[in-house]
């Protein structure tokens, strides 16, 4: 056994000499940098394609660069409607998801009952194993005209009600999809809150709601900000929920990208919409971070108050 | 293109070596002696459900029996496979499928980009109906394989008095939220043009009647989807009316859904689907992919395939399936053909983007 370990040690010394150890941190970063590099290459290709116009007689993109796709996009009423719907939807989904995720995470972390904690964890992870598309189809079965809910309401002499293929149903599906992400991001922040600080607040006479608003929530801010950013960007760029639960008339921006690439074979316009979406999402995330400060994510740095 | 030249010369050399007999007598003893090596399998892109069942039972099983070559299916949506095929051909990679079963509109786009092998040497092209030949091309970069009609499908329980007479029934407030169209408006433009008081001949120059009719339809809160959605929506009781390909309505009916269809008085759009072979395949696979397409055009294969789809093929020697005899959606009589609204494929391809944009503008507002 010792010989094997000696051999492995000498192998490591040969392949990765002591002098190279200062590069260890960089080596660990290399896979991530490669991955980001591939994404940047893809974005560069899309940026190039976005500057080329489709010729519908040959279905080739132009040889020369032009801003025509971006101009068309800016003048396209549909694009603005879809962008507005996506941003508003992402904002509503973020607010509702955080409102539901925080108490879930708080109970999951603070409960004294191991049984309840396990139940909440299983309920949290189960949807991850199912996947977004299947979950969306599940809602079609539950909320459809002849679905479970309408059948129950029918037994009570009510309905049937239209509960799917609306903007509301898309947002509902997105909230359900985003909830586990938000809980998982908020839970570590709640765990990090020292319960004695809350006790001190209550000991000094603060009612529970004041302790919650002025102690618990501010201390949980790194988790809340991280969850808000993840939920907002995922909802803003979502494709499947609007397709499955939107009935074809509640598209988000990602659906526009798909349409341009795959329905009208216009990779130039598809790239322009995609670049605009990336720019909008990055800008909104940047504004959020600038407003709250990078420290709110738990990184080193001063969190703004 | 250099790639095309090299590939073409290799293909020609192989075909010369194989001999004309192999092309003229596929699957015969004379042909087999000089045929290029058989691949283990060929990948064919198909639509799922009854569409796949139809090509499998009508074409693929017979082809496999005759050649021993297995057929595998790729059910990637035609619109999604298209850029992958284009990228593969452009980057000189092997394309993901050997035979693409495609809409003629999409196949025409690919042909305009010179993506397909020329099928002009297929022996079974002779004697096909004129609709088989793609318009606007010197050769055969694709071959149309059957026609289909976008019918007005309806839930029979919602129409106890019989079939609706006009597309205008879609505007009846009684059916608000219970109608469906394709999510790109495909198949509906000519019907909307006539139902809105316009003429098909005015497409694409003056389509005001079409867009006005579709704008009125928006107030009816239609559902917009793809082929499988229509069957699903009828099954789940979500809709009473839909503009869809007759095959989908027939499929739903076969599955026990109480659905029927009609060609309204304004007429209904007729279109075609096609088969084509992408460039970039090894020469022996090109040969056998061509034999697959050639076999698909025989009366035997067309009969089985089109029976499954309930559609009229391009081989004049096939007969309608029993349940479609006398159905105007399977046109056989002059009065049936008179009700079909046809938009030339070139016009569809050139205007698709603009029409799609206008349809989306109405439906997303």
């Amino acid at each position: 056994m010792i010989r094997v370990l000696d051999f492995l040690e000498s192998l490591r010394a040969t392949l990765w000499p002591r002098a190279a150890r200062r590069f260890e941190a960089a080596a660990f970063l290399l896979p991530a940098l490669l991955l980001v590099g591939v994404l940047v290459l893809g974005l560069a290709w899309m940026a190039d394609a976005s500057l080329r116009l489709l010729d519908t007689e040959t279905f080739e993109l132009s040889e020369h660069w032009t801003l025509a796709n971006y101009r068309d996009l800016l003048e396209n009423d549909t694009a603005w409607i879809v962008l507005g719907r996506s941003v508003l939807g992402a904002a509503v989904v973020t607010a509702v998801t955080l409102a539901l995720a925080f108490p879930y995470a708080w109970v999951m972390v603070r409960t004294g009952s191991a049984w309840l904690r396990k139940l909440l964890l299983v309920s949290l992870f189960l949807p991850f194993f199912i996947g977004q598309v299947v979950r969306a189809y599940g809602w079609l079965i539950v909320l459809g005209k002849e679905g479970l809910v309408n059948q129950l309401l029918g037994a009570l002499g009510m309905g049937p009600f239209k509960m799917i293929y609306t903007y509301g149903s898309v947002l509902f599906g997105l909230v359900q999809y985003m909830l586990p992400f938000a809980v998982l991001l908020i839970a570590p922040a709640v765990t990090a809150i020292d319960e004695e600080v809350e006790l001190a607040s209550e000991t000094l006479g603060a009612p529970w709601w004041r302790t919650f608003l002025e102690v618990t929530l501010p201390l949980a801010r790194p988790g809340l900000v991280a969850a808000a950013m993840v939920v907002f960007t995922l909802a803003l760029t979502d494709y499947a929920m609007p397709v499955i639960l939107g009935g074809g008339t509640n598209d988000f921006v990602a659906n526009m990208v798909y349409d341009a690439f795959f329905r009208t074979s216009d990779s130039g316009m598809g790239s322009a919409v995609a670049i605009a979406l990336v720019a909008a999402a990055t800008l909104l995330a940047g504004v959020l971070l600038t407003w709250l400060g990078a420290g709110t994510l738990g990184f080193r740095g001063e969190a703004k108050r | 293109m250099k790639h095309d030249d090299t590939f073409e010369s290799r293909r020609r050399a192989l075909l010369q070596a194989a001999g004309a007999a192999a092309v003229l007598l596929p699957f015969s003893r004379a042909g087999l002696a000089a045929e290029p090596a058989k691949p283990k399998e060929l990948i064919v892109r198909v639509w799922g459900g009854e569409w796949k069942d139809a090509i499998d039972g009508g074409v693929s099983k017979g082809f496999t029996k005759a050649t021993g070559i297995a057929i595998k299916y790729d059910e990637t949506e035609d619109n999604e496979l298209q850029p992958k095929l284009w990228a593969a051909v452009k980057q000189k990679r092997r394309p993901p499928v050997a035979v693409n079963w495609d809409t003629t509109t999409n196949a025409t786009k690919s042909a305009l980009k010179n993506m397909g092998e020329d099928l002009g040497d297929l022996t079974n092209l002779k004697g096909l109906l004129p609709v088989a030949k793609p318009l606007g091309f010197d050769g055969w970069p694709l071959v149309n394989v059957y026609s289909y009609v976008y019918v007005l499908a309806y839930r029979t329980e919602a129409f106890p008095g019989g079939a609706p007479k006009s597309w205008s029934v879609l505007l009846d407030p009684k059916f608000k939220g219970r109608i469906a169209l394709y999510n790109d408006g495909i198949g509906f433009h000519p019907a909307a043009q006539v139902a809105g008081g316009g003429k098909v001949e005015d497409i694409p120059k003056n389509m005001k009647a079409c867009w006005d009719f579709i704008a009125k339809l928006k107030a009816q809160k239609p559902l917009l989807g793809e082929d499988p959605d229509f069957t699903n929506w009828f099954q789940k009781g979500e809709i009473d009316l839909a503009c869809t390909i007759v095959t989908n309505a027939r499929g739903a009916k076969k599955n026990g859904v109480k659905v029927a269809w009609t060609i309204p008085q304004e007429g209904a759009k007729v279109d075609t689907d096609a088969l084509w072979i992408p460039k970039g395949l090894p020469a022996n696979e090109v040969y056998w992919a061509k034999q697959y397409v050639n076999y698909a055009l025989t009366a035997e294969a067309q009969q089985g395939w089109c029976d499954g789809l309930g559609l009229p093929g391009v081989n004049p020697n096939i007969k309608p399936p029993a349940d479609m005899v006398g159905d105007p959606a399977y046109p056989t009589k002059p009065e049936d053909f008179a009700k079909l609204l046809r938009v030339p494929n070139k016009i569809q391809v050139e205007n698709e983007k603009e029409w799609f944009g206008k349809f989306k503008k109405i439906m997303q507002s």
Side-chain angles (χ1 to χ4, degrees):
Chain A
M1 185 65 186
I2 290 169
R3 281 185 183 178
V4 173
L5 289 174
D6 286 346
F7 171 73
L8 289 173
E9 182 59 33
S10 64
L11 188 67
R12 192 182 79 92
T14 310
L15 294 174
W16 194 252
R18 185 174 293 273
R21 286 191 186 169
R22 59 188 158 140
F23 299 113
E24 270 177 0
F28 280 122
L29 278 176
L30 200 58
L33 289 174
L34 280 173
L35 189 64
V36 172
V38 170
L39 287 173
V40 169
L41 276 177
L43 270 177
W45 179 89
M46 288 182 107
D48 175 77
S50 74
L51 295 170
R52 299 178 190 277
L53 202 60
L54 179 76
D55 179 348
T56 55
E57 285 189 11
T58 59
F59 278 85
E60 297 285 356
L61 293 180
S62 63
E63 292 291 324
H64 61 279
W65 277 1
T66 166
L67 290 170
N69 285 324
Y70 289 101
R71 192 186 59 230
D72 289 350
L73 198 57
L74 288 172
E75 292 171 357
N76 185 342
D77 297 343
T78 316
W80 285 107
I81 290 168
V82 171
L83 179 66
R85 180 186 296 141
S86 308
V87 172
L88 177 68
V92 171
V93 167
T94 304
V96 176
T97 304
L98 291 192
L100 296 173
F102 188 84
Y104 193 107
W106 193 88
V107 173
M108 195 173 76
V109 170
R110 293 288 175 85
T111 181
S113 162
W115 180 85
L116 180 60
R117 183 175 295 112
K118 280 176 191 165
L119 179 73
L120 291 173
L121 276 169
V122 169
S123 306
L124 189 67
F125 282 106
L126 203 60
F128 273 127
F129 303 140
I130 298 171
Q132 188 185 12
V133 174
V134 178
R135 265 189 279 171
Y137 270 104
W139 287 120
L140 294 183
I141 295 165
V142 174
L143 300 176
K145 274 273 161 60
E146 295 177 0
L148 201 63
V149 174
N150 266 321
Q151 281 180 14
L152 288 172
L153 290 172
L156 299 170
M158 292 186 284
F161 297 104
K162 187 179 175 71
M163 289 182 276
I164 50 173
Y165 306 130
T166 62
Y167 188 41
S169 65
V170 174
L171 301 191
F172 177 79
L174 280 170
V175 167
Q176 198 254 351
Y177 172 55
M178 301 296 172
L179 197 59
F181 292 104
V183 173
L184 286 175
L185 286 162
I186 293 169
V190 175
T191 309
I193 299 171
D194 190 343
E195 284 185 65
E196 287 184 5
V197 179
E198 292 169 304
L199 277 174
S201 168
E202 285 170 15
T203 308
L204 291 168
W208 70 266
W209 56 267
R210 201 167 166 202
T211 301
F212 175 74
L213 287 176
E214 295 186 14
V215 177
T216 313
L217 267 187
L219 288 172
R221 196 156 73 167
L224 287 168
V225 172
M229 285 189 63
V230 168
V231 170
F232 185 83
T233 46
L234 283 180
L236 182 67
T237 55
D238 195 68
Y239 171 82
M241 286 296 173
V243 165
I244 299 169
L245 293 174
T249 52
N250 292 288
D251 285 0
F252 275 30
V253 181
N255 306 109
M256 271 186 79
V257 177
Y258 176 93
D259 287 342
F261 271 107
F262 298 112
R263 288 196 194 285
T264 56
S265 311
D266 189 350
S267 54
M269 177 54 82
S271 299
V273 182
I275 294 287
L277 178 61
V278 170
T282 308
L283 184 72
L284 288 165
V287 166
L288 195 67
L289 277 180
T290 308
W291 178 39
L292 296 165
T296 51
L297 289 176
F299 300 144
R300 284 178 192 174
E302 189 74 20
K304 292 187 181 175
R305 291 186 184 274
Chain B
M1 277 167 66
K2 186 172 180 294
H3 165 68
D4 294 341
D5 293 340
T6 312
F7 195 82
E8 189 63 17
S9 60
R10 273 196 292 131
R11 188 185 67 81
R12 280 184 186 152
L14 193 69
L15 283 178
Q16 281 165 3
V23 178
L24 295 170
L25 298 169
F27 317 140
S28 70
R29 274 179 187 282
L32 287 171
E35 281 160 353
K38 287 180 182 175
K40 265 184 169 175
E41 62 185 31
L42 287 174
I43 300 174
V44 179
R45 195 218 72 85
V46 299
W47 290 282
E50 53 262 19
W51 297 81
K52 187 174 95 172
D53 295 343
I55 199 170
D56 188 55
V59 184
S60 302
K61 281 197 165 73
F63 178 78
T64 301
K65 193 176 172 187
T67 63
I69 299 171
I71 298 297
K72 274 198 170 177
Y73 297 110
D74 182 333
E75 293 184 49
T76 306
E77 183 64 22
D78 53 338
N79 292 320
E80 289 174 17
L81 186 68
Q82 184 172 266
K84 291 180 188 172
L85 279 174
W86 290 359
V89 175
K90 200 172 176 182
Q91 294 164 9
K92 301 178 183 179
R93 286 187 283 111
R94 183 194 177 97
V97 301
V99 177
N100 194 9
W101 183 14
D102 209 350
T103 63
T104 300
T105 304
N106 272 346
T108 301
K109 283 191 222 170
S110 296
L112 286 169
K113 287 172 76 78
N114 196 24
M115 292 285 150
E117 296 282 349
D118 183 47
L119 305 175
D121 52 3
L122 299 188
T123 54
N124 291 330
L125 293 178
K126 286 176 189 168
L128 296 181
L129 294 172
V131 71
K133 176 83 172 77
L135 298 176
F137 298 99
D138 292 333
W140 291 74
L142 57 111
V143 56
N144 294 321
V145 282
Y146 54 77
S147 304
Y148 55 88
V149 179
Y150 288 90
V151 296
L152 177 60
Y154 59 96
R155 214 163 54 84
T156 50
E157 286 171 341
F159 291 89
K165 299 280 188 289
S166 163
W167 287 103
S168 297
V169 71
L170 294 168
L171 301 177
D172 187 335
K174 191 166 66 173
F175 299 113
K176 189 171 185 173
R178 298 194 57 78
I179 61 175
L181 301 174
Y182 282 97
N183 52 17
D184 48 8
I186 194 172
F188 192 60
H189 301 115
Q193 173 84 350
V194 180
K199 291 177 184 170
V200 178
E201 305 81 68
D202 288 343
I203 295 175
K205 286 183 180 165
N206 178 10
M207 293 178 68
K208 186 174 182 306
C210 167
W211 301 121
D212 286 350
F213 189 84
I214 291 175
K216 285 182 197 166
L217 210 59
K218 161 68 179 167
Q220 288 287 85
K221 296 186 180 296
L223 295 185
L224 306 176
E226 307 269 0
D227 281 329
D229 294 320
F230 294 100
T231 310
N232 187 30
W233 288 335
F234 273 122
Q235 272 177 332
K236 299 276 191 291
E238 296 285 345
I239 57 170
D240 292 324
L241 287 159
C243 171
T244 185
I245 295 172
V246 64
T247 305
N248 298 322
R250 187 172 175 248
K253 189 178 178 183
K254 279 185 174 174
N255 287 332
V257 183
K258 290 173 182 170
V259 167
W261 55 88
T262 184
I263 308 270
Q265 61 200 15
E266 297 93 345
K269 189 192 176 197
V270 63
D271 217 328
T272 51
D273 282 342
L275 292 179
W276 63 280
I277 298 169
K279 288 182 176 176
L281 290 165
N284 67 321
E285 281 197 36
V286 174
Y287 175 88
W288 287 107
K290 282 190 172 188
Q291 296 315 314
Y292 182 86
V293 176
N294 205 28
Y295 178 69
L297 299 171
T298 61
E300 178 196 5
Q302 282 258 299
Q303 187 71 64
W305 189 10
C306 293
D307 276 0
L309 297 172
L311 302 175
V314 291
N315 190 309
N317 301 315
I318 68 167
K319 292 173 181 162
D323 65 316
M324 296 300 286
V325 172
D327 191 320
Y330 192 112
T332 51
K333 302 189 288 286
E335 57 265 37
D336 296 338
F337 288 106
K339 290 179 81 174
L340 300 181
L341 309 174
R342 191 181 292 274
V343 178
N345 224 262
K346 189 170 183 293
I347 290 177
Q348 290 193 66
V349 168
E350 286 179 1
N351 292 278
E352 184 191 49
K353 187 183 168 188
E354 187 190 335
W355 294 350
F356 181 76
K358 285 188 173 173
F359 185 81
K360 278 281 171 181
K361 186 175 181 177
I362 293 169
M363 291 300 168
Q364 294 296 327
S365 60

